[in-house]
Amino acid sequence: MGYGELIIRSYDPQYDRTRVEDFERKCEVGPAKRVFLFTDTLGDPICRIRNSPIYKMLVAELGNQLVGVIQGSIKLVTVHKPPNDLAKVGYILGLRVSSLYRRRGIGSSLVIKLEEWFIANDVDYSYMATEKDNKASVKLFVDRLSYVKFQTPTILVNPVSHRMSRISSNVELAKLKVEEAEAIYRKFMSSTEFFPIDIGNILRNKLSLGTWAAYPRGESWGGVPSSWAMLSVWNSGELFKLRLGNAPLSCLMYTKSSRLIEKLVPCVKLPCIPDFFRPFGFYFIYGVYREGPLSGKLVRTLCRFVHNMASKSKDCKVIVTEVGGSDTSRLHIPHWKSLSCPEDLWCIKALKNEKKNSLHELTKTPPTRALFVDPREV
């Protein structure tokens, strides 16, 4: 076709850093008809996988032209399948192909090459996440590469306002030590789908701002509260920034009108969303767990606490949470429907012949177990 031979190789930071960063800035993320984001990796193109146990980035070239990139990470997680509950999984993310070179098999070639790396590292399953409405991505992975639809988590996005949220005086909040948080997560969430075995490394990472618990005032955390909830917070804004390239018209109109009303009538407490058209960071809430009749209220109180914490940050403009589609905690997490994604799509593929029957067991019934979303893969 006159484009030369497609070469796929490992990312070389000395040679590729600037090229990949420029390439990433030009690539939108998300379906253009609704909203898309541009990313700024702050001089580190592999920032999204650097905190994973094992990771790799591949670049695709035609001649001297960079035409595609892909990233992958490997970890050990809980996956409910016979005969045991542990599996080595490889996560695919950051697949980008230049708009000038699409529909030429570059994307599938990058995925296949990354799968070969997974297989060489004894990975049981490969999985990826995309928006349910991303037809091109679904066609590539499901139709061409034999991935199977696995989970449909919900992504909840809540804008950060400079106004502080009210914290109920009937709720006690406690910041947990890393060792205590790890012990609780292992006790109550180790059976959660995709729970990472190295949860301790996540909690000890400098990007993890901490773990907090909430329980009714007057009860003791050292005992067994009648209701309680906990969550952890990850500062994704330290890794990369986002910038909005498109937005729903209603969102744009609300942004402008709320700011105008706030200037004219300061006493009117109309929520004002941030300016998403300039680079911004975000907090990611993970490890949400609750028990007891009042636990929904406690989750909401914790989210308000995180909002107040984020409002003091210089560039944190949204708080993001991702929970399993069947997880009722989503009903208690504050979010804006216009900014959120009700059905993200996770697809999975067995890389070993002996795992194919297990994969059928894993995906044949609607997911009922909670899902642990690793903040390192956001």
Side-chain angles (χ1 to χ4, degrees):
M1 298 293 292
Y3 296 103
E5 180 184 359
L6 179 67
I7 297 175
I8 297 178
R9 59 172 176 79
S10 296
Y11 166 78
D12 180 345
Q14 291 186 338
Y15 178 68
D16 296 319
R17 184 189 299 272
T18 301
R19 295 199 309 159
V20 171
E21 206 174 18
D22 290 341
F23 183 81
E24 288 274 1
R25 286 197 191 100
K26 297 174 184 177
C27 291
E28 70 274 8
V29 180
K33 69 178 182 180
R34 183 174 149 210
V35 61
F36 60 83
L37 298 168
F38 292 101
T39 59
D40 182 353
T41 56
L42 307 178
D44 184 11
I46 60 172
C47 61
R48 292 181 64 194
I49 54 175
R50 186 178 292 282
N51 291 286
S52 297
I54 307 173
Y55 57 86
K56 192 178 190 66
M57 183 176 194
L58 299 174
V59 299
E61 294 176 316
L62 279 174
N64 292 322
Q65 182 72 31
L66 179 65
V67 296
V69 297
I70 194 170
Q71 301 180 43
S73 61
I74 299 173
K75 62 182 178 180
L76 191 64
V77 302
T78 300
V79 174
H80 290 278
K81 56 171 184 53
N84 56 63
D85 289 339
L86 292 179
K88 201 178 222 184
V89 296
Y91 181 53
I92 297 175
L93 71 160
L95 174 60
R96 309 273 191 271
V97 176
S98 171
S99 59
L100 299 176
Y101 294 90
R102 290 173 184 169
R103 290 180 291 277
R104 295 175 187 170
I106 296 173
S108 57
S109 296
L110 280 165
V111 174
I112 291 171
K113 200 71 174 178
L114 189 61
E115 287 178 347
E116 292 175 358
W117 178 69
F118 286 159
I119 293 171
N121 282 274
D122 199 33
V123 167
D124 298 305
Y125 300 96
S126 171
Y127 75 106
M128 51 75 67
T130 187
E131 285 205 10
K132 188 177 180 180
D133 296 334
N134 192 331
K135 295 180 180 179
S137 183
V138 173
K139 184 177 181 180
L140 171 63
F141 283 92
V142 177
D143 297 345
R144 296 182 185 175
L145 299 172
S146 302
Y147 281 71
V148 180
K149 295 178 182 180
F150 170 50
Q151 290 264 3
T152 53
T154 299
I155 300 176
L156 305 172
V157 181
N158 197 40
V160 175
S161 167
H162 65 275
R163 298 182 185 277
M164 302 292 281
S165 296
R166 179 180 173 275
I167 304 297
S168 173
S169 59
N170 296 321
V171 176
E172 193 76 48
L173 299 177
K175 185 174 183 180
L176 307 182
K177 294 182 178 180
V178 171
E179 295 77 14
E180 183 181 9
E182 180 179 356
I184 295 174
Y185 276 132
R186 291 193 185 280
K187 180 177 180 179
F188 292 98
M189 294 195 76
S190 60
S191 61
T192 301
E193 208 73 85
F194 274 56
F195 179 81
I197 300 305
D198 66 333
I199 181 65
N201 291 336
I202 298 175
L203 296 172
R204 290 179 177 83
N205 192 291
K206 65 179 182 180
L207 297 174
S208 193
L209 301 181
T211 302
W212 287 266
Y215 55 97
R217 187 175 293 277
E219 298 189 26
S220 171
W221 177 249
V224 181
S226 59
S227 296
W228 62 278
M230 66 183 294
L231 55 74
S232 299
V233 184
W234 184 271
N235 186 7
S236 298
E238 286 294 313
L239 291 178
F240 60 93
K241 307 297 181 186
L242 298 173
R243 175 174 61 82
L244 200 63
N246 194 9
L249 180 60
S250 59
C251 178
L252 298 177
M253 292 178 65
Y254 181 88
T255 304
K256 294 179 179 179
S257 63
S258 62
R259 285 177 180 157
L260 177 61
I261 292 175
E262 187 175 90
K263 289 181 179 179
L264 297 176
V265 191
C267 61
V268 176
K269 295 184 178 181
L270 185 66
C272 180
I273 66 174
D275 179 7
F276 295 127
F277 296 93
R278 294 174 182 165
F280 64 91
F282 66 97
Y283 284 175
F284 184 78
I285 292 177
Y286 69 99
V288 180
Y289 185 82
R290 65 191 182 96
E291 282 195 358
L294 299 177
S295 59
K297 176 185 176 182
L298 298 175
V299 167
R300 183 171 290 273
T301 299
L302 283 169
C303 289
R304 288 174 176 169
F305 170 78
V306 175
H307 171 274
N308 291 347
M309 185 169 64
S311 67
K312 299 174 184 178
S313 173
K314 182 179 180 180
D315 67 350
C316 179
K317 294 184 179 179
V318 293
I319 299 169
V320 182
T321 315
E322 186 168 10
V323 296
S326 60
D327 191 339
T328 55
S329 293
R330 71 185 189 280
L331 302 175
H332 307 286
I333 298 173
H335 65 280
W336 277 35
K337 186 176 180 180
S338 61
L339 298 176
S340 302
C341 176
E343 281 191 320
D344 199 27
L345 178 63
W346 286 24
C347 298
I348 191 169
K349 176 181 180 179
L351 297 181
K352 297 177 180 178
N353 290 330
E354 63 268 25
K355 300 296 182 181
K356 291 182 179 178
N357 290 334
S358 298
L359 180 63
H360 177 67
E361 293 292 324
L362 193 64
T363 60
K364 71 177 182 179
T365 56
T368 56
R369 293 182 181 272
L371 179 69
F372 193 100
V373 180
D374 193 327
R376 298 171 298 188
E377 297 175 352
V378 175

